[in-house]
Amino acid sequence: MPTPQDPHPADRTEHPRSADTSPAIARAFALLSNDWNGLILMALAKGPADSAQIRERVPGISSRMLTQRLQELTAIDLVTRDVRPGLSSRPRYALSPHGKAFLVPLAVLFLWAEDHLPASSSPADRPATTDP
């Protein structure tokens, strides 16, 4: 006899892989728990940019914080850094293939936040913090 399908699968709280058994989900949350990382990745989704262009796309971030976050995101291979010789030798940053793949869950999170979180809860809406 067939079992009835759950009419509200999104209401289920169980998941085949529990968060406490998956270090991968812990790493993903750690990545997003750092202020600005998600916003920087979304800014780079618009295309490669130098640090000044990224600051324009991520209002409120300081130059020092942006440099620190870009170094971290480059170290974990979500962002690439390219310096071309010539008149403008400013580094340009772009999403790596891993960074582009991360846009899928990030876009879903963005849509969920638009529908379910108050606007005042985003880092861009908070006053800029001073650098240590």
Side-chain angles (χ1 to χ4, degrees):
M1 175 172 198
T3 58
Q5 295 240 344
D6 184 353
H8 304 288
D11 293 340
R12 285 188 274 162
T13 56
E14 80 276 356
H15 189 275
R17 289 184 110 183
S18 169
D20 62 354
T21 62
S22 176
I25 195 69
R27 290 191 308 271
F29 279 120
L31 170 69
L32 289 174
S33 70
N34 286 331
D35 285 350
W36 307 107
N37 283 349
L39 295 174
I40 292 168
L41 293 171
M42 293 294 283
L44 288 173
K46 296 177 181 177
D50 61 33
S51 59
Q53 293 167 321
I54 297 170
R55 275 196 319 274
E56 288 174 11
R57 296 176 190 177
V58 184
I61 192 167
S62 70
S63 295
R64 185 174 176 182
M65 181 61 68
L66 178 60
T67 299
Q68 180 182 349
R69 294 298 183 228
L70 285 169
Q71 288 172 347
E72 293 169 3
L73 293 169
T74 301
I76 60 173
D77 195 29
L78 290 178
V79 170
T80 61
R81 182 180 187 269
D82 182 34
V83 181
R84 296 184 184 191
L87 294 176
S88 177
S89 61
R90 293 160 97 179
R92 291 192 47 88
Y93 299 91
L95 293 176
S96 70
H98 295 298
K100 289 177 184 175
F102 190 65
L103 290 179
V104 174
L106 200 56
V108 172
L109 181 61
F110 172 79
L111 292 173
W112 176 85
E114 284 284 311
D115 289 343
H116 300 285
L117 293 178
S120 63
S121 65
S122 74
D125 292 337
R126 291 185 221 143
T129 57
T130 57
D131 290 326

